[in-house]
């Protein structure tokens, strides 16, 4: 019986990075030279975790009948914990010590939460925008803010 040898499988983080680089190369025009693969990875990961956030928000608000601020808080914290783990491992592939990095992340998340998620979502809902649309609008602002902070502060490559 002949034995078959398989090449070692690349770690999932390397496969993810290669896939994001491949997507980036296929962007139209000059976008392929301007858009970093980490932006595509961030969009994919955070699009997924935003879906988790909205699903939890809907369940907690509509079915569990929690107050809006509490439903937003629980959904947000759950989604952002997942986002941290996925972005650290797959997108930014950070090997920096977790403690200082997690401290920076917690500060960024707190600022983001109070200013954009709770503040903007609640303000938009208060002026009559449906809470899902309020949350999506705040999410768009959050995406720009969070990508910039994650890339250049929290997961900044060491020199």
């Amino acid at each position: 019986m002949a034995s078959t040898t398989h090449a070692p499988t690349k770690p999932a983080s390397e496969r993810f990075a290669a896939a994001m680089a491949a997507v980036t190369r296929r962007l139209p025009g000059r976008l392929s030279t301007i858009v970093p693969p980490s932006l595509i990875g961030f969009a994919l990961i955070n699009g997924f975790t935003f879906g988790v956030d909205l699903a939890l928000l809907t369940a907690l608000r509509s079915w569990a009948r929690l107050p809006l601020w509490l439903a937003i808080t629980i959904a947000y914290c759950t989604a952002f914990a997942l986002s941290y783990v996925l972005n650290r491992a797959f997108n930014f592939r950070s090997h920096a010590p977790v403690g200082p990095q997690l401290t920076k992340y917690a500060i960024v998340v707190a600022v983001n939460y109070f200013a954009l998620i709770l503040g903007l979502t609640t303000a938009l809902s208060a002026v009559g925008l449906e809470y899902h649309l309020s949350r999506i609008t705040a999410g768009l602002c959050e995406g720009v803010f969070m990508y910039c902070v994650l890339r250049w502060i929290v997961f900044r490559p060491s020199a």
Side-chain angles (χ1 to χ4, degrees):
M1 177 147 74
S3 68
T4 57
T5 58
H6 297 290
T9 304
K10 287 183 182 178
S13 61
E14 286 183 30
R15 292 192 313 270
F16 183 83
M20 296 307 100
V23 169
T24 302
R25 284 191 301 272
R26 288 175 175 75
L27 292 175
R30 293 193 54 217
L31 283 177
S32 64
T33 62
I34 297 170
V35 174
S38 64
L39 180 58
I40 303 297
F42 177 83
L44 182 67
I45 288 170
N46 285 63
F48 168 72
T49 59
F50 187 64
V52 169
D53 186 337
L54 282 179
L56 285 172
L57 174 59
T58 300
L60 295 170
R61 180 74 175 147
S62 298
W63 299 329
R65 303 280 185 218
L66 294 180
L68 183 58
W69 70 269
L70 183 57
I72 290 170
T73 303
I74 292 169
Y76 175 81
C77 290
T78 302
F80 258 83
L82 182 58
S83 173
Y84 173 80
V85 170
L86 294 175
N87 271 298
R88 177 179 162 83
F90 293 102
N91 195 37
F92 296 103
R93 296 180 294 158
S94 177
H95 298 289
V98 173
Q101 198 175 66
L102 196 52
T103 300
K104 286 184 220 173
Y105 186 76
I107 292 167
V108 167
V109 166
V111 168
N112 181 59
Y113 172 76
F114 287 110
L116 296 173
I117 304 311
L118 190 57
L120 186 56
T121 301
T122 303
L124 292 172
S125 292
V127 298
L129 191 61
E130 196 271 334
Y131 76 92
H132 285 103
L133 294 176
S134 297
R135 181 62 186 92
I136 289 167
T137 302
L140 293 171
C141 297
E142 167 192 13
V144 172
F145 172 74
M146 288 303 296
Y147 176 74
C148 292
V149 173
L150 290 181
R151 181 173 181 195
W152 289 298
I153 297 174
V154 175
F155 296 120
R156 181 182 71 217
S158 55

